[in-house]
């Protein structure tokens, strides 16, 4: 996984924050970098779709749905990443490595695939945008 | 007889809430055109024209995954409403899909008649769900094949009644500023058998239409900010309160460049479809209000038959923000832009 710097994140943060605020109907000041989308900003599944499409339009990038989990899985096969909807030890380790912006204590074991979005913070989306920008330049 | 059988027309089509008559120019997962053929003496409300655009996008998305998934109402970022009433017309539909996968379809599209846009939609997103939860995938395939036939389906013989699709009870009103109402979705209605055969839910477009009527009702009860127009119309500054849901006003004409004013004026179709708001007669003219734009529509869950919904409409300048709640939980949000003019 390519390194993403704090400067990279800072460069996209204001626009990502505005985008998330528009999608959630909240004030941009509420959208701080470490805020969790679900638990802190009350985002629901439809909001995740809304945010992704708004980011695609706003930054002129492509973010396939499921991209965060796909990126996290990386080279691991699906069977090595999760079994029956629960992350394997290797999958959980890989997820921790990928979501570096998420404090370690938030990763529970066992962790269900459906609970992964609960980990996402505003920074997760900033990093997603930065990665998509880097990918589009390659 | 099953629910699915009761809703079929003689040609086998589930018709109570299906509006696309034919599909052409299909570019799989990307683009399609379509048409609606409306039967003699019917007019199509703008919310149903918008629904038809969404249905065309749904057909393209479903065909792209061989009817294993289907989109449901989710987000409409921008809806522009240019015209309202139609009768005995052919409505042309067009959609462009910006994304189409197992999770979501993103699209824009429009409905046109006589070379003019009636409704345009942009930044729309529909979450894709298992099609078999809503309908028989084989029945969907068969309907799609029929729609792809140039002969398509016969003209729509009936259309669902838009006004009064749910009952509305006013709870509180701060004239011109805030309106709270309770909407009750019927337990039974013909469209439930078609929307959807295996999971009856209240169509989001009918729900939006009901909310837009409330927004217009709120707007028309404004005692202050429309004063200049009221004075020019020869009306007093007293609050003009008229409940659109209770009072079937009749339209007197059309706005803007809508292409068939003579025909529409002659036919005098029922008022109001949701693009047109209200008419207040004064000495010098009438104030006509219209919803011209709907933005940031977001549906958060399905609405089952019999559901009771609280709708809060709050005015902010020319916009009215709508929040719908069920059991205290957010159900949907939307904003509408209203324009008024002296006619």
């Amino acid at each position: 996984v390519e390194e993403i710097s704090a400067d990279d994140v800072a460069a996209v943060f204001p626009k990502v924050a505005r985008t998330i605020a528009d999608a959630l109907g909240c004030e941009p000041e509420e959208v701080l970098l470490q805020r969790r989308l679900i638990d802190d900003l009350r985002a629901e599944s439809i909001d995740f779709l809304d945010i992704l499409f708004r980011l695609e339009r706003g930054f002129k990038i492509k973010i396939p749905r499921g991209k965060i989990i796909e990126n996290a899985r990386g080279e691991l096969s699906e069977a090595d990443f999760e079994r029956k909807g629960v992350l394997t030890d290797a999958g959980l380790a890989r997820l921790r490595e990928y979501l570096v912006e998420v404090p370690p204590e938030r990763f529970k074991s066992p962790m269900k695939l459906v609970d992964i979005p609960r980990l996402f913070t505003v920074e997760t989306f900033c990093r997603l945008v930065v990665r998509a920008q880097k990918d589009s330049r390659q | 007889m099953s629910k699915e059988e009761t809703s079929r027309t003689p040609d086998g089509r589930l018709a109570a809430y299906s509006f696309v008559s034919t599909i052409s120019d299909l570019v799989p997962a990307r683009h399609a055109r379509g048409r609606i053929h409306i039967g003699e003496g019917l007019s199509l409300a703008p919310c149903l024209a918008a629904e038809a655009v969404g249905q065309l996008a749904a057909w393209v998305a479903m065909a792209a995954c061989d009817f294993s998934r289907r989109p449901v109402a989710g987000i409409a970022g921008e809806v522009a409403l240019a015209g309202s009433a139609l009768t005995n017309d052919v409505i042309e539909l067009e959609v462009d899909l910006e994304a189409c996968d197992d999770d979501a379809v993103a699209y824009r599209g429009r409905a046109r008649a006589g070379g003019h846009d009636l409704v345009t939609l942009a930044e729309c997103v529909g979450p894709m769900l298992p099609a078999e939860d809503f309908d028989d995938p084989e029945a969907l395939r068969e309907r799609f094949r029929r729609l792809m036939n140039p002969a398509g389906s016969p003209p729509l013989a009936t259309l669902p009644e838009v006004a009064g699709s749910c009952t509305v009870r006013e709870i509180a009103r701060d004239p011109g500023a805030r309106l709270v109402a309770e909407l009750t979705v019927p337990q039974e209605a013909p469209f439930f058998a078609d929307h959807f055969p295996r999971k009856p839910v209240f169509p989001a477009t009918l729900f939006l239409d009901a909310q837009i009527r409330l927004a217009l009702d709120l707007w028309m009860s404004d005692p202050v900010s429309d004063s200049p127009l009221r004075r020019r119309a020869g009306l007093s500054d007293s609050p003009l309160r008229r409940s659109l849901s209770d009072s079937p006003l009749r339209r007197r004409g059309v706005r803007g460049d809508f292409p068939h004013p003579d025909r529409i004026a002659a036919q005098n179709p029922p008022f109001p479809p949701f693009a047109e708001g209200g008419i207040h007669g004064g000495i010098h003219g009438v104030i006509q209000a219209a919803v011209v734009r709907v933005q940031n529509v977001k549906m958060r869950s399905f609405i089952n038959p019999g559901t009771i919904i609280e709708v809060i409409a709050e005015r902010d300048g020319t916009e009215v923000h709508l929040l719908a709640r069920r059991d205290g939980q957010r159900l949907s949000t939307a904003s509408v832009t209203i324009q008024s003019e002296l006619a």
Side-chain angles (χ1 to χ4, degrees):
Chain A
V1 176
E2 192 177 350
E3 203 62 35
I4 292 175
S5 71
D7 285 348
D8 288 335
V9 170
V12 299
F13 169 69
K15 191 166 172 180
V16 171
R18 273 199 310 278
T19 304
I20 291 175
D22 286 346
L24 300 180
C26 64
E27 296 301 322
E29 300 77 49
E30 293 177 59
V31 187
L32 304 175
L33 204 56
Q34 297 310 322
R35 290 263 159 96
R36 292 167 296 181
L37 269 287
I38 292 176
D39 290 322
D40 297 331
L41 298 173
R42 297 200 310 142
E44 299 172 22
S45 57
I46 188 73
D47 297 312
F48 282 103
L49 278 180
D50 194 7
I51 291 167
L52 288 179
F53 281 112
R54 283 174 188 259
L55 291 174
E56 284 194 347
R57 287 192 297 267
F59 285 94
K60 300 190 181 354
I61 51 176
K62 277 285 169 198
I63 308 173
R65 261 53 58 200
K67 185 69 176 169
I68 296 176
I69 291 174
E70 187 188 308
N71 283 349
R73 182 160 70 83
E75 311 259 302
L76 283 182
S77 68
E78 269 188 53
D80 288 339
F81 187 70
E82 57 102 357
R83 283 188 201 129
K84 294 183 178 171
V86 178
L87 289 184
T88 62
D89 289 346
L92 187 57
R94 190 68 191 76
L95 188 69
R96 275 205 188 99
E97 207 176 297
Y98 181 75
L99 295 176
V100 292
E101 69 279 11
V102 177
E105 66 274 14
R106 289 193 194 148
F107 292 86
K108 307 291 180 203
S109 182
M111 172 164 278
K112 292 179 184 170
L113 269 181
V114 293
D115 289 334
I116 293 178
R118 208 167 269 282
L119 297 170
F120 298 165
T121 65
V122 173
E123 185 172 350
T124 306
F125 286 86
C126 291
R127 298 172 73 86
L128 196 62
V129 168
V130 172
R131 276 205 186 82
Q133 288 175 327
K134 287 178 188 274
D135 287 349
S136 68
R137 287 190 210 112
Q138 284 170 1
Chain B
M1 189 181 281
S2 76
K3 195 185 289 178
E4 288 178 49
E5 286 163 342
T6 58
S7 65
R8 285 179 191 279
T9 59
D11 74 313
R13 190 166 62 89
L14 288 157
Y17 210 73
S18 299
F19 303 112
V20 179
S21 301
T22 59
I23 298 175
S24 60
D25 303 334
L26 177 71
V27 179
R30 300 293 304 172
H31 173 86
R33 290 176 191 272
R35 284 187 163 196
I36 312 173
H37 300 282
I38 295 179
E40 183 75 23
L42 297 176
S43 62
L44 189 78
C47 72
L48 300 185
E51 172 73 30
V53 174
Q55 289 185 2
L56 179 59
W59 282 117
V60 179
M62 288 190 289
C65 61
D66 191 27
F67 302 92
S68 63
R69 317 272 294 173
R70 72 151 300 135
V72 294
I75 296 163
E78 285 274 349
V79 182
L81 304 158
S84 52
L86 292 165
T87 185
N88 298 333
D89 227 333
V90 173
I91 296 141
E92 295 166 359
L93 307 171
E94 183 174 12
V95 290
D96 284 298
L97 275 58
E98 291 143 0
C100 180
D101 57 38
D102 278 355
D103 293 322
V105 55
Y107 66 94
R108 56 192 153 87
R110 61 186 180 174
R112 288 166 71 81
H116 294 258
D117 286 339
L118 298 167
V119 175
T120 60
L121 292 89
E123 301 176 6
C124 297
V125 179
M128 295 283 273
L129 298 176
E132 63 183 7
D133 292 352
F134 298 88
D135 211 333
D136 173 6
E138 187 48 46
L140 289 170
R141 269 187 214 101
E142 176 53 32
R143 285 171 64 189
F144 181 71
R145 276 193 289 272
R146 191 176 293 120
L147 293 175
M148 289 295 291
N149 181 328
S153 303
L156 297 171
T158 59
L159 288 168
E161 190 177 333
V162 174
S165 63
C166 53
T167 55
V168 181
R169 185 168 71 90
E170 185 175 317
I171 305 292
R173 180 189 295 254
D174 177 1
R178 191 168 191 268
L179 174 61
V180 181
E182 184 183 85
L183 270 57
T184 304
V185 173
Q187 281 288 355
E188 292 183 5
F191 52 73
F192 282 133
D194 190 14
H195 191 278
F196 300 93
R198 290 180 177 172
K199 183 178 175 61
V201 297
F202 190 59
T205 37
L206 291 183
F207 179 54
L208 184 61
D209 181 89
Q211 292 183 89
I212 284 173
R213 287 166 202 272
L214 288 172
L216 283 162
D217 192 342
L218 170 66
W219 190 94
M220 293 303 280
S221 68
D222 188 344
V224 177
S225 43
D226 207 31
S227 290
L229 204 57
R230 284 165 194 258
R231 278 194 291 275
R232 281 169 54 206
L235 290 160
S236 74
D237 279 356
S238 59
L240 287 167
R241 164 82 193 285
R242 196 178 294 182
S243 168
L244 298 179
S245 51
D246 298 339
S247 165
L249 304 178
R250 309 292 293 183
R251 69 188 276 144
R252 301 288 190 275
V254 292
R255 295 184 66 254
D257 62 351
F258 190 73
H260 310 300
D262 295 338
R263 184 164 41 151
I264 290 165
Q267 303 243 351
N268 197 23
F271 185 89
F274 79 42
E276 304 281 348
I279 298 168
H280 288 313
I283 298 165
H284 306 301
V286 294
I287 297 174
Q288 197 162 335
V291 168
V292 292
R293 198 159 75 141
V294 185
Q295 290 176 287
N296 297 322
V297 180
K298 192 181 289 185
M299 290 297 300
R300 295 180 177 278
S301 65
F302 292 118
I303 303 172
N304 294 325
T307 301
I308 296 172
I309 301 161
E310 179 192 41
V311 175
I312 301 162
E314 289 183 328
R315 181 167 175 189
D316 176 11
T318 58
E319 289 193 353
V320 176
H321 301 296
L322 294 157
L323 166 67
R325 295 194 294 211
R326 178 182 51 203
D327 301 328
Q329 300 289 312
R330 279 183 305 174
L331 175 66
S332 72
T333 41
S335 296
V336 303
T337 303
I338 297 174
Q339 282 182 3
S340 58
E341 61 185 30
L342 191 60

